Amino acid sequence: MTNDKKRLRVGVLFGGRSGEHEVSLASAASVIRELDPDKYEAVPIGISKEGHWLIGGAAHKLLPDVLKSGHRIVMPADPTDAALIPLDRSGMGQRLDVVFPVMHGTYGEDGTIQGLLDLAGLPFVGAGVLGSAIGMDKDVAKKLLQHAKLPVVPWVTVYRADWERDPKAVQKEIEKKFRYPLFIKPATLGSSVGMTKVHSRLELGPALDLASEFAMKILVERAVSAREIEVSVLGNHDPRASVPGEIVPHREFYDYTAKYLEEGTALIIPAKLKPAQIKKIQGMAVAAFRTLELSGMARVDFFLEKKGGKLYLNEVNTIPGFTSISMYPKLWEATGIPFRELIDKLIALAQEVHREKARTKYQIELPEGAGGALEA
């Protein structure tokens, strides 16, 4: 704890070396705004697109200011000294009580930051290293979900190296399995960055080229004419699901522009579904949360076919958006947990996981006089 025992010092991590950098800033601003000042001291920690860690001072009122002119810091991976240390050694390190990563995509949602925070011995909101890495890699996640008998949209995985080496063979493999239209997207990114709906062979190559700019692995999925249903999950050992919501994009599909740059997309909360459908969607969301070894929070996205009503689990987001239009907090608000209370619960869940980790043994006691292969 800090000297002020009434408040926890919460490091809000945002930005990062990711195609979702700008989305992260909007999410972090919402989280900081909703942190109860009577309970928490918010410490904004920005990571620039170059990977510099920066912390703001009193003069930095907005998050972009932190990234432009904040003080350079480093976080040592040392649990005995887990503080934000100024690079110029101009002052004492700032200690944190808990970290709230609001970093979407590469180097934030994929287990890398989570590994550093584990080494530093700090509690943090959201999934751990394994769950984060699995959730970020949609190909691996689909394989595990499929193994757990959760229905996923049929897909083919394309490696960038294979596409660049032999594009004709890759095209042949895709067209052997699927008819057009298709969806092509990076396997390890979110927010629809690098995603394209492909209607013909003519569009296939450019779409694969675009996706390969953002990832070494590309997902090619059969296009499904479906309603887009999302549900939020909260918890550790006993997760629960919110009411489902529906996204009705004003574009052909819910791409980056429709999500963040234009108005017109409708969010229907709660979604108009039959009670049996709601129960099934919530059950599948919790099952996916457990299957992928998640904790704290996740948003689980579904496709509900317009003809036939077949349900597919599309993907799981381990650090969902927290912007003013994001579904994760909106769904919980509709379920009865307002944004500020949701933040309280997420921080409490982070502390719960941290206490569990602290109970685990990481050393063994050798018998007195032990030698053999262990003798120096």
Side-chain angles (χ1 to χ4, degrees):
M1 285 288 289
T2 62
N3 290 331
D4 182 354
K5 297 197 175 180
K6 293 181 180 177
R7 299 203 300 169
L8 289 174
R9 180 172 279 177
V10 180
V12 180
L13 265 172
F14 65 93
R17 292 189 290 154
S18 166
E20 299 176 76
H21 179 98
E22 285 74 18
V23 181
S24 174
L25 268 70
S27 288
S30 295
V31 169
I32 291 169
R33 188 166 53 245
E34 294 297 335
L35 280 168
D36 187 340
D38 293 329
K39 296 178 182 177
Y40 311 109
E41 177 191 349
V43 181
I45 307 164
I47 301 180
S48 72
K49 290 183 177 181
E50 296 73 36
H52 302 314
W53 286 51
L54 303 129
I55 191 168
H60 306 114
K61 302 295 185 186
L62 301 173
L63 298 190
D65 293 340
V66 176
L67 293 170
K68 285 178 187 175
S69 52
H71 305 297
R72 290 277 301 276
I73 55 165
V74 65
M75 178 183 285
D78 181 347
T80 65
D81 190 24
L84 304 173
I85 309 296
L87 273 183
D88 60 6
R89 299 286 170 175
S90 58
M92 296 290 291
Q94 289 193 48
R95 297 195 68 81
L96 301 172
D97 296 310
V98 64
V99 176
F100 199 130
V102 197
M103 298 175 61
H104 310 303
T106 317
Y107 302 122
E109 198 174 352
D110 58 3
T112 49
I113 284 290
Q114 290 76 12
L116 173 60
L117 296 174
D118 264 340
L119 286 170
L122 283 170
F124 59 89
V125 171
V129 174
L130 179 61
S132 297
I134 293 171
M136 189 80 263
D137 191 318
K138 296 177 183 66
D139 173 49
V140 174
K142 276 177 174 280
K143 289 172 182 173
L144 289 171
L145 293 168
Q146 196 174 54
H147 182 74
K149 308 218 180 313
L150 291 166
V152 296
V153 177
W155 84 101
V156 167
T157 301
V158 173
Y159 289 89
R160 180 168 63 192
D162 292 338
W163 167 242
E164 292 175 347
R165 183 175 58 250
D166 195 346
K168 287 185 178 179
V170 169
Q171 177 185 299
K172 184 177 180 181
E173 180 190 0
I174 292 169
E175 293 183 336
K176 183 180 177 182
K177 182 157 187 178
F178 298 128
R179 291 182 180 178
Y180 295 100
L182 308 167
F183 275 105
I184 296 187
K185 56 190 175 186
T188 53
L189 205 57
S191 292
S192 302
V193 173
M195 185 167 81
T196 308
K197 186 173 183 179
V198 173
H199 305 83
S200 67
R201 177 181 291 181
L202 195 64
E203 299 173 352
L204 182 63
L208 287 166
D209 287 339
L210 175 64
S212 68
E213 290 178 14
F214 294 96
M216 294 187 291
K217 194 160 55 168
I218 304 157
L219 228 58
V220 180
E221 295 179 323
R222 176 168 65 83
V224 178
S225 177
R227 298 166 62 188
E228 297 190 37
I229 308 295
E230 297 185 350
V231 66
S232 299
V233 180
L234 178 71
N236 288 332
H237 303 301
D238 189 24
R240 69 185 186 107
S242 70
V243 297
E246 181 174 1
I247 292 173
V248 184
H250 67 286
R251 286 174 161 259
E252 186 179 9
F253 68 97
Y254 198 38
D255 63 359
Y256 187 92
T257 301
K259 282 183 180 180
Y260 304 112
L261 304 180
E262 294 179 350
E263 295 182 357
T265 293
L267 306 180
I268 301 171
I269 302 172
K272 295 175 183 177
L273 298 164
K274 296 175 183 176
Q277 290 175 312
I278 294 172
K279 187 176 180 181
K280 184 176 182 180
I281 287 168
Q282 290 174 325
M284 285 174 62
V286 170
F289 192 88
R290 294 182 184 279
T291 297
L292 302 184
E293 296 280 344
L294 305 186
S295 56
M297 62 181 175
R299 194 193 72 238
V300 187
D301 302 346
F302 295 88
F303 289 139
L304 181 61
E305 277 191 330
K306 292 177 180 177
K307 289 185 179 180
K310 185 169 182 180
L311 190 66
Y312 294 99
L313 202 157
N314 178 29
E315 65 181 42
V316 175
N317 292 269
T318 57
I319 301 184
F322 276 89
T323 70
S324 59
I325 61 167
S326 294
M327 285 289 263
Y328 187 84
K330 280 182 170 290
L331 289 172
W332 279 119
E333 191 167 3
T335 310
I337 303 177
F339 203 141
R340 183 161 286 191
E341 185 182 336
L342 178 62
I343 298 295
D344 288 344
K345 288 183 180 294
L346 288 169
I347 289 172
L349 289 166
Q351 293 173 310
E352 179 183 88
V353 169
H354 189 66
R355 287 192 296 270
E356 282 287 310
K357 289 176 183 175
R359 292 178 53 211
T360 306
K361 276 191 173 184
Y362 298 103
Q363 300 179 34
I364 61 170
E365 292 185 16
L366 297 174
E368 195 173 334
L374 301 180
E375 196 169 55

